[in-house]
Amino acid sequence: MNETTFYNILKQQFGHVPTKGQERLLYATARLMFSVKDRCVFIVRGYAGTGKTTSVKAIVDSLKLINYQSVLLAPTGRAAKVLSQYSERSALTIHKKIYQKKTMMDTESGFGLRQNLHKNTLFIVDEASMISSGQSMGAMFGNRDLLSDLLNFVFTGKNCRLMLIGDDAQLPPVGSDHSPALDYKFMRDTFSLTLAQTHLTEVKRQALDSGILYNATILRDQLGSEENSIPQLSENVFEDVQKVNGAELQDFLEDSVNKHGIENVIIVTRSNKRANLFNQQVRHRLLWHENDIDAGDYLMVVRNNYFWLDEGSSNSTDFIANGDALEVIKIRGREERYGFEFATIEGRLLDYPDLPPMEMIILIDTIMAETPNLGPEKSKALYHYVAEDYADLGNRKAIHKAIMKDPYYNALQVKFAYAVTCHKSQGGQWPAVFVDQGYLTDELIDKEFVRWLYTAITRAQQELYFVNFAESFFVEDEKALEI
């Protein structure tokens, strides 16, 4: 089989007439798979509604016809779940695929890079805009560089290639002003790669029947222009988009929860403080929860945790990732230690349905904190308080080792999952999404805000609600709406 034959197979698997951009993608994929060069990476950037998901499924279905395997990866558990649903194939997080717990007795060694035993394999990584570069992964991973490690892992395999797929109109990784894995110039200048790229920009005509994708296209076009004016959105000509004011919000939320279930409805807002307020209103007014945490609550993990899924196997790569969703089944006990509040719960990880419910300790203090997680100062204080319990071990190394195995030091850091910041929602999709404008002045309406809004509304699959948005955001003459 040659490149041309495989290209024709890809078009056949595609199932309908591709757009010009999709046709370029399929042709470039055929060239990628038959390239004789080393370290081949293909960057696929595509806006919402341009058919990235359709293309991925066609590629995955076609590879087996040329005796090639595929591995599907994403930065978060929720993003991997979304990828798995539309590709109809199993998908993993990048971390769980490429890292393993080191087998040394010294727990300071943390995680190391796994050997890639795959051969003749295309690694397809979705939501690549979220992949960070630089030493930003925390002490347990040895402050590793995720993008570098992904590349090193893939290319230790025999005849393996990498496809990075994402939407560079979305928010970049926290602390970065761009998405390095989708930045051709950065990748070219930083790594030794055989590099190609394509950009899907043509929104499928049938997608424009969706108000969600129509408004996403308006915002994407504005990102490509020089202006910083208020985005001109549309809501009253589409059935899937509505404006909601504060007085109406409870009724709309109740309708959405009754229709989709509480786990399939999300409020996306601009700060942890706003998210806390919304979370408490949802719990009190919709769920009738009265305590600071109750059985039936949905939580989101806000810091990677390597303790609760790692017991009994030093080689386990399983961990609970920042952004994973958790349902509280039962609260088994509460206690205060070291000036912090803890709860022992039985919980179920929503993004990993094959895992049975498990008992774990959660840190109550982070639930209503206005910071993303416990923060470095309080984490350091907790470390020192726990260390006092092991002072009798004598030396610092033994004490540190004991702390790393302490269930209270390793308590899951969580927040309620009914309302989250946009960064926390990234990589996930929900049937119904409520986007809260929050405090906003004219000076704050810039490219960063437009990117935030684009990311927020593209979390919605079926229904999008603009909450408390000023009238100036919406066009007056709907007859003039054109793309």
Side-chain angles (χ1 to χ4, degrees):
M1 186 178 292
N2 57 28
E3 175 183 308
T4 302
T5 304
F6 185 56
Y7 169 63
N8 291 328
I9 290 173
L10 285 167
K11 289 183 70 174
Q12 184 178 2
Q13 291 290 334
F14 202 72
H16 59 269
V17 178
T19 65
K20 291 181 180 179
Q22 290 166 343
E23 194 160 354
R24 288 194 300 270
L25 167 59
L26 298 180
Y27 176 71
T29 299
R31 295 196 63 184
L32 169 75
M33 301 315 301
F34 284 87
S35 173
V36 296
K37 297 182 179 180
D38 295 327
R39 296 173 62 86
C40 291
V41 176
F42 185 21
I43 298 173
V44 180
R45 295 178 294 140
Y47 298 127
T50 55
K52 296 190 302 295
T53 58
T54 307
S55 303
V56 168
K57 190 174 188 314
I59 292 168
V60 169
D61 291 343
S62 300
L63 287 174
K64 57 187 176 184
L65 300 177
I66 59 169
N67 297 318
Y68 237 82
Q69 304 298 315
S70 61
V71 172
L72 305 185
L73 303 174
T76 67
R78 182 169 287 273
K81 183 178 180 180
V82 172
L83 174 59
S84 179
Q85 287 172 342
Y86 73 68
S87 67
E88 299 178 0
R89 288 281 304 276
S90 175
L92 299 172
T93 64
I94 299 170
H95 298 74
K96 290 184 179 182
K97 183 64 182 177
I98 74 173
Y99 293 118
Q100 65 180 356
K101 184 75 178 293
K102 290 186 178 179
T103 57
M104 300 181 207
M105 293 299 293
D106 182 6
T107 57
E108 287 182 303
S109 59
F111 283 71
L113 196 62
R114 182 187 293 277
Q115 181 183 0
N116 180 8
L117 300 178
H118 291 274
K119 60 182 180 179
N120 300 327
T121 300
L122 175 64
F123 288 82
I124 300 175
V125 182
D126 198 14
E127 297 288 356
S129 64
M130 300 171 64
I131 300 175
S132 60
S133 183
Q135 296 182 348
S136 58
M137 292 175 58
M140 183 61 77
F141 280 108
N143 290 317
R144 305 185 70 101
D145 183 318
L146 179 59
L147 180 55
S148 293
D149 281 348
L150 173 63
L151 293 168
N152 289 335
F153 171 81
V154 169
F155 296 120
T156 58
K158 183 178 180 181
N159 195 27
C160 291
R161 296 145 206 271
L162 176 63
M163 179 180 289
L164 297 167
I165 303 174
D167 184 347
D168 57 348
Q170 290 190 28
L171 290 172
V174 176
S176 178
D177 59 359
H178 73 300
S179 297
L182 298 178
D183 186 332
Y184 183 91
K185 184 177 185 301
F186 173 84
M187 296 287 282
R188 182 196 65 197
D189 295 345
T190 308
F191 306 103
S192 177
L193 303 169
T194 301
L195 200 61
Q197 69 171 339
T198 192
H199 196 184
L200 299 176
T201 59
E202 185 179 352
V203 178
K204 297 177 294 182
R205 295 310 305 174
Q206 62 268 31
L208 297 182
D209 293 334
S210 161
I212 296 166
L213 291 176
Y214 178 91
N215 284 296
T217 303
I218 294 293
L219 294 168
R220 180 255 289 171
D221 289 346
Q222 185 162 338
L223 282 171
S225 70
E226 298 299 321
E227 60 178 307
N228 275 334
S229 59
I230 295 177
Q232 293 298 281
L233 306 172
S234 175
E235 57 86 26
N236 61 20
V237 296
F238 296 104
E239 293 183 357
D240 59 340
V241 179
Q242 292 189 65
K243 287 186 298 186
V244 179
N245 62 44
E248 302 171 315
L249 180 56
Q250 182 172 341
D251 290 338
F252 277 93
L253 281 169
E254 286 179 347
D255 289 343
S256 292
V257 169
N258 290 335
K259 182 177 179 180
H260 301 290
I262 187 64
E263 72 276 14
N264 292 317
V265 178
I266 195 82
I267 301 170
V268 180
T269 188
R270 300 182 62 220
S271 69
N272 286 296
K273 182 176 182 179
R274 295 277 299 174
N276 288 342
L277 292 172
F278 280 120
N279 277 318
Q280 289 305 328
Q281 292 299 311
V282 169
R283 295 184 70 249
H284 296 327
R285 297 189 180 188
L286 269 67
L287 305 178
W288 300 94
H289 289 179
E290 297 181 355
N291 301 307
D292 57 356
I293 187 169
D294 288 285
D297 267 322
Y298 284 83
L299 306 173
M300 180 173 283
V301 177
V302 294
R303 187 175 182 182
N304 290 345
N305 186 286
Y306 316 94
F307 181 80
W308 296 101
L309 292 182
D310 196 35
E311 293 181 339
S313 174
S314 60
N315 290 316
S316 173
T317 59
D318 284 340
F319 65 95
I320 303 173
N322 181 8
D324 282 352
L326 172 71
E327 179 187 10
V328 178
I329 298 173
K330 185 181 295 184
I331 299 174
R332 299 192 178 278
R334 296 281 301 264
E335 60 184 307
E336 181 178 345
R337 285 191 177 208
Y338 320 117
F340 295 90
E341 291 284 337
F342 299 91
T344 301
I345 68 164
E346 180 182 345
R348 178 172 66 92
L349 290 170
L350 299 177
D351 297 327
Y352 306 99
D354 293 337
L355 289 177
M358 55 184 291
E359 185 172 292
M360 61 194 84
I361 295 175
I362 64 172
L363 183 61
I364 299 294
D365 296 66
T366 57
I367 291 180
M368 293 300 293
E370 293 183 5
T371 52
N373 48 47
L374 189 62
E377 290 187 8
K378 289 186 177 180
S379 294
K380 186 176 181 180
L382 178 59
Y383 181 96
H384 287 296
Y385 289 139
V386 175
E388 292 176 3
D389 286 348
Y390 300 104
D392 59 310
L393 295 177
N395 64 74
R396 290 177 59 185
K397 187 173 182 179
I399 292 172
H400 176 78
K401 192 172 180 179
I403 294 170
M404 292 298 102
K405 295 181 179 179
D406 185 272
Y408 293 93
Y409 179 73
N410 288 288
L412 272 179
Q413 297 187 26
V414 294
K415 291 184 180 293
F416 291 118
Y418 314 113
V420 298
T421 62
C422 196
H423 269 295
K424 291 297 183 189
S425 74
Q426 204 167 354
Q429 291 183 322
W430 290 261
V433 174
F434 291 74
V435 180
D436 170 51
Q437 175 192 291
Y439 175 75
L440 190 68
T441 62
D442 290 344
E443 293 76 19
L444 295 175
I445 300 175
D446 54 13
K447 287 290 191 290
E448 183 179 352
F449 172 77
V450 174
R451 194 177 299 276
W452 177 91
L453 185 55
Y454 175 90
T455 305
I457 70 174
T458 52
R459 303 308 92 210
Q461 294 172 305
Q462 300 175 28
E463 301 167 9
L464 171 65
Y465 300 91
F466 290 110
V467 180
N468 294 322
F469 270 69
E471 288 295 329
S472 55
F473 275 94
F474 302 97
V475 293
E476 296 179 3
D477 184 5
E478 299 295 353
K479 294 181 180 179
L481 285 178
E482 293 182 1
I483 287 197

